Amino acid sequence: MGDNFVMQASKIAAVVVLYWVTSISMVFLNKYLLSSPELRLDAPLFVTCSQCWITVALCLVMRAIANVWPAQVHFPHLDLSVDILLQVLPLSIIFMGMIAFNNLCLKSVGVAFYNVGRSLTTVFNVIMSYVLLGQTTSLRSLICCAIIIGGFWLGVDQESQHNSLSILGILYGVLASLCVSLNAIYMKKILPLVEGSIWRLTYYNNINASLLFVPAFLLAGESSALLTFNNFGHISFWVVMLASGCLGFSMSYVTGLQIKFTSPLTHNISGTAKACAQTVIAVSYFHEVKTLLWWTSNFFVLLGSSSYTWVRGMEMKRAQKDFMDEVRTESLEKENESA
């Protein structure tokens, strides 16, 4: 009994560590690609587009491996249906906005402020669920959202006080938060088209995004930045690009793995704790000095996000219990009527 508990706890700890390392490494690698003074590559849309190409290629590689070792590797069948591509296109546009604005936000703000800059996802979840689905939200959930908004505004104020505020970075962060919320809502509608497979949806989303990003980065004038980029032919640059793409591809897997070994609630709490650790690491790594109010803004954002997760978890459990009680009551009434 004790050995089984230790083994299960060790597995959970390993999965959580894997999730943290993958997520934090991806953020720091993307920051290097997007705004490193050593690299000097001013082409965020090209970087994002390249990561989409890498994801498509990795999906095909995983499918090929699954064909060779079907017992060891499970990966869904991938085809290329133009009809599905077109049906997935509206979601792909939202997905494209989500990853583009995420990268543009990361390029414009520091890693330490990145989580605060795009912290309004929960708030937009509440707003969009009401606007698009007609779902109302409890007072306690709204209070949690108010705490997040307060932390966000305090963080913006503190960045302004330190003359490190990027208006564009804040705008990109807000738009990224909106797109993340819309992506989650519309994904539920599109998943049946790909037989409920997240990997197939990832495959089609990234094909569409790869095609859409090409005219986007050309129209943004990034072709001139690429022509003058000195490291374009260096293998080290493409190794970092490939590593970043692989980490992005792996996030779907490690996220699902963490949920499988823990729970959706624990996953969200782990994500909040990871964001806190990422902020501390970034401040230490970049030798930044932050005020007490700046740290307070981060605390409010993390407190509001974790509280919202806990409140929604309790509400869902209560709703499930009420539903089961209602089913039992109806069943008993039918039994009494038949008797």
Side-chain angles (χ1 to χ4, degrees), residues 232-244:
F232 198 80
H234 291 188
I235 188 68
S236 58
F237 165 70
W238 290 105
V239 167
V240 176
M241 283 284 286
L242 181 60
S244 175

Side-chain angles (χ1 to χ4, degrees), residues 23-36 41-55 94-111 114-115 117-118 166 168-177 179-180 206 209 213 217 222 240-241 244-245 247-249 251 278:
S23 181
I24 293 174
S25 299
M26 183 180 68
V27 170
F28 275 87
L29 267 182
N30 280 346
K31 181 63 177 177
Y32 172 78
L33 286 168
L34 293 164
S35 59
S36 167
L41 173 61
D42 187 20
L45 295 181
F46 169 76
V47 170
T48 311
C49 181
S50 299
Q51 291 169 343
C52 292
W53 294 336
I54 292 169
T55 298
I94 296 172
F95 169 77
M96 177 185 172
M98 180 181 72
I99 57 177
F101 289 131
N102 263 329
N103 278 351
L104 287 167
C105 176
L106 185 57
K107 174 180 171 61
S108 303
V109 304
V111 175
Y114 177 59
N115 284 306
R118 47 186 295 280
S166 167
L168 270 180
I170 298 300
L171 177 61
Y172 291 143
V174 171
L175 291 173
S177 299
C179 288
V180 170
N206 280 275
F213 268 124
F217 75 70
E222 292 186 2
V240 176
M241 283 284 286
S244 175
L247 288 172
F249 176 81
M251 275 305 297
Q278 180 176 292

